[in-house]
Amino acid sequence: MIKTLAKSIREYKKHTILTPIFMVFEVGFEIAIPFLLSILIDQGITNKDYNTIIIVGICLVVAAFLALLFGRLGGRTAAVAASGFAKNLREDMYNKVQDFSFLNIDKFSTSSIVTRLTSDVSNIQMAFMMIIRGAIRSPITIIFALIMTFTINPKIGLIYLVVTPILGGSLILLAKYVHPIFKKVFNTIDKLNRVVQENVNAIRVVKSFVTEEREIKKFNKVSDDIYDYFSKAEKVMAFNGPIMQITIYTCLTLISWFGAHFVVSGEITTGELTSLITYVMQLLMNLMMLSMIFVMIIISLESGRRIVELLEEVPDIHNPENPIMKVENGSIEFKNVSFSYVNNKEKEVLKNIDFKINTGETVGIIGGTGDGKSSLVNLIPRLYDTTEGEVLVGNKNVKDYDIKVLRDQVSMVLQKNTLFSGTIKENLRWGNIDATDEEIIKACKLAQADEFIEKFPDKYDTYIEQGGNNVSGGQKQRLCIARALLKKPQILILDDSTSAVDTKTDSLIRKAFAEEIPNTTKIIIAQRISSVQDSDKIIILNNGKIEAIGSHEELLKNNKIYQEVYNSQMKGSEENA
Ligand SMILES: Nc1ncnc2c1ncn2[C@@H]1O[C@H](COP(=O)(O)OP(=O)(O)OP(=O)(O)O)[C@@H](O)[C@H]1O
Ligand SMILES: [Mg+2]
């Protein structure tokens, strides 16, 4: 875990190494102060030696100043190192997520990715800062303070040998108990983010169903869970304070008691007792610091694990060695393809699919909801890989192509499509950054979008809100089609992309496709028979299997399902008319 995380330190290595070094210097001068103090008292004040008082006094001031200076320097480098490390970590994670395939994303869930990129990184940043500042400084101070105490008086040193193991033991017990609770906390924070994200994304649905109250309850439940876990963890963690304090006061009392006796019996001097007390304070302060670092490490262990899990996830779809850089033509072939999703391996979503589509053909796919239409077309641009069998595009296995080349040639209008915030032009250039204004207008004319865009006051510079909320459903679909067209692909796939478009515009789009891009292979998934009836062939999917393939006329003659759907839709449209 540490190795994977440490990779993100990179250019902040210098600051990371400098921090403990500065800290060691700070400790050195801090340790010198009580030592100088005892000389000042025993040789200067007791003997009324003014020379010594002045010289040692100046040394004291200089030591204090240097300790402060190095402390400040260390604090600064630590802050730079920790925030830089966190920045790199976030960037590395973000880049990793960009490499994820649909399958990887299914595994992590969006909300969990967001928590990992935000809260988890903050925890690690905090822990990292505390570690580079304290993990070397505190033990060194403790060891020095111990050595000094033992040199002054070994009997007093013995006190620590009794107290420290008791302290260490209790801290380990605490950690054992608390770590599992923090594990639950982070999973619940994932859940919280999911609830918020879903609610905010779907706020219009929530409003229209008037389910605000249920949503509030759902949120409060998760929020309460987090409160419960945290308070449970904090209740245990709160013992940390009293344990430390008992240790500190026991030590102080014991040292004062024995120290006073030893001063009276002449075993140690007053100056030595003063420095002993300062050492014990330093020692205990640093023990406290260590225990805080310890707590932070426990909290961040789980965050670290979650970050590493994301960083080490292997993107399951990647470029082959020597990829093919050109798609010869727009033919598509499925050879005995079966497919299931990772999170539901038992259920075969597609079973033994076999068919061939020639370049330039228009193919309709129809079937009931959940029958596997979207899953089938997702395999063509390799958004998912088949579980069994092969998919060929341009007579070559899709796995042999360079992914970018393949996806540029297989342009897909996803069923769950989104627009980004930005102008219409910016959104369309997503399809092709170099598209000229003329190309954009041509694509929009093909997708029957030009007409309504021209009616907007700002035309192609109209600003689209996040998710495309300020355009209608049908307008959004037409913009998405135009965006896909701008790639000038050899294969164009429309996954239920005209469902919100009126039948007349729908047929205009198909007419434009047939006339303007006759050589592009077109796959149209639709619920309406009218959207596919003039295709070269129609594939009927039923529960993951191909029920029948044929032209409209053939299917109407031979296929029962097709006849039923056709008749019910015809009846519906006659009743509407
Ligand atoms: N990302 C996913 N993870 C797990 N299962 C999925 C995923 N996407 C779809 N499924 C399942 O796969 C099956 C086929 O879904 P698919 O989206 O291909 O259906 P569809 O024919 O496109 O339906 P619709 O007409 O409603 O769009 C469904 O049972 C669905 O529950
Ligand atoms: Mg679908």
Side-chain angles (χ1 to χ4, degrees), residues 105-106 108-116 190 193-194 197:
I105 294 172
D106 285 348
F108 276 102
S109 86
T110 328
S111 51
S112 163
I113 292 177
V114 172
T115 325
R116 285 167 211 240
D190 277 359
N193 280 350
R194 193 183 69 218
Q197 191 197 351

Side-chain angles (χ1 to χ4, degrees), residues 368-375 377-378 415-416 495-496 525 527:
T369 45
D371 274 343
K373 304 180 294 295
S374 300
S375 308
V377 291
N378 277 337
Q415 187 170 19
K416 297 173 201 152
D495 187 354
D496 221 359
I525 297 181
Q527 301 291 344

Side-chain angles (χ1 to χ4, degrees), residues 441-490:
I441 293 173
K442 183 164 176 249
C444 287
K445 280 192 172 145
L446 268 178
Q448 309 301 315
D450 179 65
E451 194 189 337
F452 74 81
I453 296 173
E454 286 295 337
K455 284 193 193 137
F456 289 145
D458 294 329
K459 307 210 163 40
Y460 281 82
D461 291 317
T462 305
Y463 194 81
I464 305 282
E465 303 291 341
Q466 188 190 11
N469 281 335
N470 60 340
V471 285
S472 79
Q475 289 172 340
K476 187 170 148 187
Q477 285 188 331
R478 282 180 270 173
L479 287 173
C480 290
I481 295 175
R483 180 171 69 185
L485 281 171
L486 271 178
K487 278 193 179 177
K488 301 201 181 129
Q490 302 202 44

Side-chain angles (χ1 to χ4, degrees), residues 4 84 99 190 240 303 319 434 483 546:
T4 312
D99 279 343
D190 277 359
N240 190 26
S303 290
N319 261 345
D434 307 316
R483 180 171 69 185
I546 293 188

Side-chain angles (χ1 to χ4, degrees), residues 40 107-108 123 152 163 239 333 444 453 468 499 536:
L40 185 81
K107 230 192 270 181
F108 276 102
N123 279 336
I152 295 173
V163 179
F239 278 112
E333 189 173 355
C444 287
I453 296 173
S499 57
D536 296 306

